[in-house]
Amino acid sequence: WKPKSSGGTLPVFRLRDLPAQPERGVQGDVHWMHFAASMQLRLQLRGDIWDGIAEEDFEVKVSEEELCVRCTAKDVGSALDAMNGKLKKEVNPKRCWFSIEKDLYDPTRKQRTLVVELAKKAPGKPWSSDQIFQETLFNRKSFAWTANQTLVQAEAEKWVTLKPGRRSDVEDPFTVSRGWLCTELEQGQTDELVQFRVVLDQKKLDEALEKVPYYHVFGADCSEQYFKLFIRGDESSPVLLGKLGGKVCPDQTLMELTTFTREVEGHRIAGTMETLPCLDVSLVKAPDSLGVWEDDILYAEEHTLNQPQGTLEEYEEEQLRLEREPSPDKEDWTPDDWADEQKEKADAAFKEGSYRDAIVYYTRALRHTPMNEKLLSNRSAAYLKITQYQLAFDDADKAQKIQPGWSKIYFRKGQALRGLKRFDDAIAAFREGKAIDPGNAEWEREEKRTKDAQAALEERRRAKVAEGKR
């Protein structure tokens, strides 16, 4: 089977927040979605008037109390009126963003949607009204545009002009790994819904919530046929990733951080109950996929979750590639050729600072040449950049077993061990490398950094013990 060339990957709905009540509504031509920390507005760009218009052709300005949107490339009449007005609640302009995205339900993949996300000035507090904009007789005349479509100077200071594009996931801080936080997975379905429950470790959840608010722990990406669930800041290690057993409505995906109570299995006192935190995820089945799915609810090969992953679009592209026959010009490619293709992408991503993307490409290259010590060393370096020290050590250790005489591996191994606070082992690794390459002064510098880090940690521990005795 070959996918239709006009199809491409399916449009993806990106969920980076938890819902608040009321969850969604419509005001004029604008569909809005209500979240704990934000309000997302969506305006479908339908008709020939939008042909050739790109993100850069929109000017979106936000103040704490007002939203103004216009098209700078042409006169679009009243097409954007529904996106302009005084807001009923205050927002944080510096945290807002806008983008142009594919229409989730357009079979031609040509229609687009203007998305504006308004970050609440008071995140966590719901907007109780079912309307986003104030509706008064003179509301439309209160905007800060003059007849020449320029901001009045006196008004200019309160406005923030948004740059086109979503906020990057790279900005999310790492909080906790999937292996520590997520302890169990349950899944099920009804005729209308697909449901996942991820049982969480209370202690690790509490630690994560000391770093980020509850509505910023998890993220999800969903298209009609593919789904990805991950911890924000660690999206390359998804909790769930795969192809769904049927079609869903992506923008109706919901996540809820809650608790549930169950009987403790195997407890000596029958009937003993425990209450545990969990993340409940609900996907709404598409009209043509209602009923019980006979195939797997979410299909993914076993190794998928054990390897670094990129975006949902990249995952889908890879699945489509595997379904297609090899291109004629690549039929005689060797595993090294396939690996080199991915390595080039990985090296470019690393140089750009896109370390998680680099990990994905190095991983793909290693699927073709799993015993390539240079690929393992490079992926180890990328893991170090995102402080995934155990994974960095694993790659360096495997590379050392393949090529023990290559000194660079001992840099990677020592740095990873230092990150794991295994300071003595780190120093031993650097000394092994120095024995191979004695003329490199970097060994002594790395050993000193390690000893300094060890001393600093021991000092903090002594201070903590002394404080506890007071």
Side-chain angles (χ1 to χ4, degrees):
W1 173 81
K2 290 185 179 181
K4 296 179 180 179
S5 59
S6 61
T9 57
L10 298 167
V12 172
F13 176 70
R14 304 184 195 284
L15 190 58
R16 300 294 184 271
D17 205 339
L18 298 181
Q21 297 296 329
E23 290 180 4
R24 61 184 67 224
V26 180
Q27 186 170 5
D29 294 332
V30 174
H31 292 253
W32 53 263
M33 303 179 70
H34 186 198
F35 300 100
S38 62
M39 185 69 73
Q40 195 172 105
L41 314 183
R42 291 175 169 264
L43 177 68
Q44 293 180 326
L45 304 179
R46 297 288 175 86
D48 297 340
I49 192 174
W50 300 112
D51 288 351
I53 300 297
E55 277 185 340
E56 295 74 17
D57 297 320
F58 285 88
E59 186 173 50
V60 180
K61 294 180 179 289
V62 187
S63 71
E64 289 189 351
E65 302 172 343
E66 194 167 355
L67 171 65
C68 291
V69 181
R70 70 175 180 131
C71 178
T72 60
K74 65 168 69 171
D75 182 4
V76 295
S78 62
L80 292 174
D81 280 0
M83 274 287 197
N84 286 267
K86 286 188 175 296
L87 302 166
K88 284 203 166 186
K89 299 285 186 178
E90 291 185 332
V91 300
N92 179 356
K94 293 182 179 180
R95 298 286 296 175
C96 300
W97 56 262
F98 85 95
S99 69
I100 303 297
E101 302 182 354
K102 293 180 181 178
D103 189 310
L104 292 167
Y105 301 106
D106 174 33
T108 68
R109 315 282 170 83
K110 295 179 180 179
Q111 300 295 339
R112 298 172 298 161
T113 300
L114 170 62
V115 182
V116 177
E117 182 163 291
L118 302 174
K120 293 179 180 179
K121 187 175 182 179
K125 294 184 178 181
W127 289 11
S128 57
S129 174
D130 60 356
Q131 293 185 326
I132 309 304
F133 297 105
Q134 299 178 23
E135 289 192 348
T136 62
L137 181 61
F138 301 106
N139 190 41
R140 295 301 178 198
K141 295 183 180 180
S142 67
F143 299 167
W145 303 115
T146 67
N148 294 324
Q149 295 291 297
T150 59
L151 279 175
V152 178
Q153 183 64 33
E155 295 275 310
E157 292 184 0
K158 73 177 185 179
W159 296 91
V160 172
T161 301
L162 305 184
K163 295 181 180 179
R166 280 180 168 266
R167 292 178 59 82
S168 172
D169 287 335
V170 175
E171 298 177 23
D172 292 333
F174 177 81
T175 55
V176 63
S177 69
R178 175 193 68 199
W180 286 107
L181 180 61
C182 305
T183 61
E184 299 176 41
L185 172 66
E186 301 173 1
Q187 61 182 18
Q189 61 172 316
T190 65
D191 286 345
E192 296 83 22
L193 298 174
V194 173
Q195 297 165 312
F196 301 101
R197 168 169 288 174
V198 182
V199 183
L200 308 174
D201 180 276
Q202 183 68 67
K203 182 179 178 181
K204 293 301 178 182
L205 177 60
D206 292 341
E207 291 176 1
L209 294 179
E210 292 176 359
K211 302 175 184 177
V212 296
Y214 72 94
Y215 45 80
H216 280 172
V217 177
F218 288 96
D221 292 338
C222 187
S223 69
E224 281 190 337
Q225 292 181 274
Y226 291 84
F227 180 68
K228 176 183 179 182
L229 176 70
F230 56 91
I231 298 170
R232 293 182 61 173
D234 194 25
E235 61 274 7
S236 63
S237 300
V239 180
L240 293 169
L241 176 65
K243 185 173 184 179
L244 296 161
K247 293 183 179 180
V248 298
C249 303
D251 60 342
Q252 295 187 46
T253 302
L254 287 179
M255 298 190 297
E256 182 183 10
L257 198 58
T258 184
T259 61
F260 75 106
T261 301
R262 68 182 180 186
E263 184 175 352
V264 180
E265 186 177 351
H267 197 280
R268 61 186 180 83
I269 302 176
T272 299
M273 308 299 289
E274 62 178 351
T275 299
L276 300 171
C278 65
L279 179 75
D280 285 343
V281 183
S282 298
L283 309 181
V284 177
K285 294 181 178 179
D288 58 352
S289 288
L290 296 175
V292 176
W293 296 349
E294 295 182 1
D295 297 328
D296 292 336
I297 295 176
L298 185 72
Y299 173 77
E301 294 183 8
E302 186 176 346
H303 64 78
T304 298
L305 296 180
N306 296 324
Q307 297 178 340
Q309 298 294 331
T311 65
L312 188 64
E313 291 94 333
E314 289 174 332
Y315 176 79
E316 183 182 350
E317 286 176 358
E318 179 68 7
Q319 301 312 301
L320 293 175
R321 185 193 68 78
L322 293 174
E323 292 173 354
R324 291 194 297 261
E325 296 178 5
S327 302
D329 60 333
K330 297 181 180 180
E331 286 183 351
D332 59 348
W333 273 27
T334 66
D336 287 337
D337 293 327
W338 289 105
D340 287 345
E341 181 183 51
Q342 297 301 318
K343 183 179 181 298
E344 287 181 11
K345 297 178 181 179
D347 292 344
F350 192 97
K351 289 178 182 178
E352 293 173 0
S354 301
Y355 302 117
R356 289 185 172 89
D357 289 343
I359 289 168
V360 172
Y361 292 126
Y362 285 132
T363 300
R364 292 177 182 173
L366 282 162
R367 291 174 186 168
H368 300 288
T369 54
M371 301 300 288
N372 187 312
E373 72 278 4
K374 292 183 178 179
L375 290 174
L376 288 165
S377 176
N378 289 354
R379 190 172 70 174
S380 177
Y383 278 134
L384 286 169
K385 290 291 187 180
I386 62 170
T387 67
Q388 294 280 6
Y389 298 119
Q390 184 60 54
L391 293 173
F393 170 78
D394 292 343
D395 276 354
D397 191 53
K398 185 175 181 180
Q400 179 189 345
K401 292 174 181 176
I402 297 170
Q403 186 57 267
W406 187 27
S407 63
K408 182 182 285 188
I409 294 171
Y410 297 90
F411 274 117
R412 306 276 190 254
K413 188 175 181 180
Q415 290 166 346
L417 287 165
R418 184 171 62 213
L420 292 169
K421 298 180 175 57
R422 293 169 55 182
F423 300 111
D424 292 340
D425 291 337
I427 291 171
F430 292 133
R431 289 177 178 175
E432 282 186 80
K434 184 178 180 180
I436 298 172
D437 183 18
N440 192 335
E442 192 63 30
W443 299 114
E444 292 183 4
R445 285 193 284 268
E446 289 292 343
E447 186 172 336
K448 184 178 183 303
R449 292 188 189 107
T450 305
K451 290 178 178 178
D452 290 346
Q454 185 176 23
L457 179 62
E458 290 173 353
E459 179 62 29
R460 289 196 298 271
R461 287 173 176 170
R462 284 194 294 268
K464 189 173 182 180
V465 171
E467 185 179 349
K469 291 180 178 180
R470 290 177 185 175

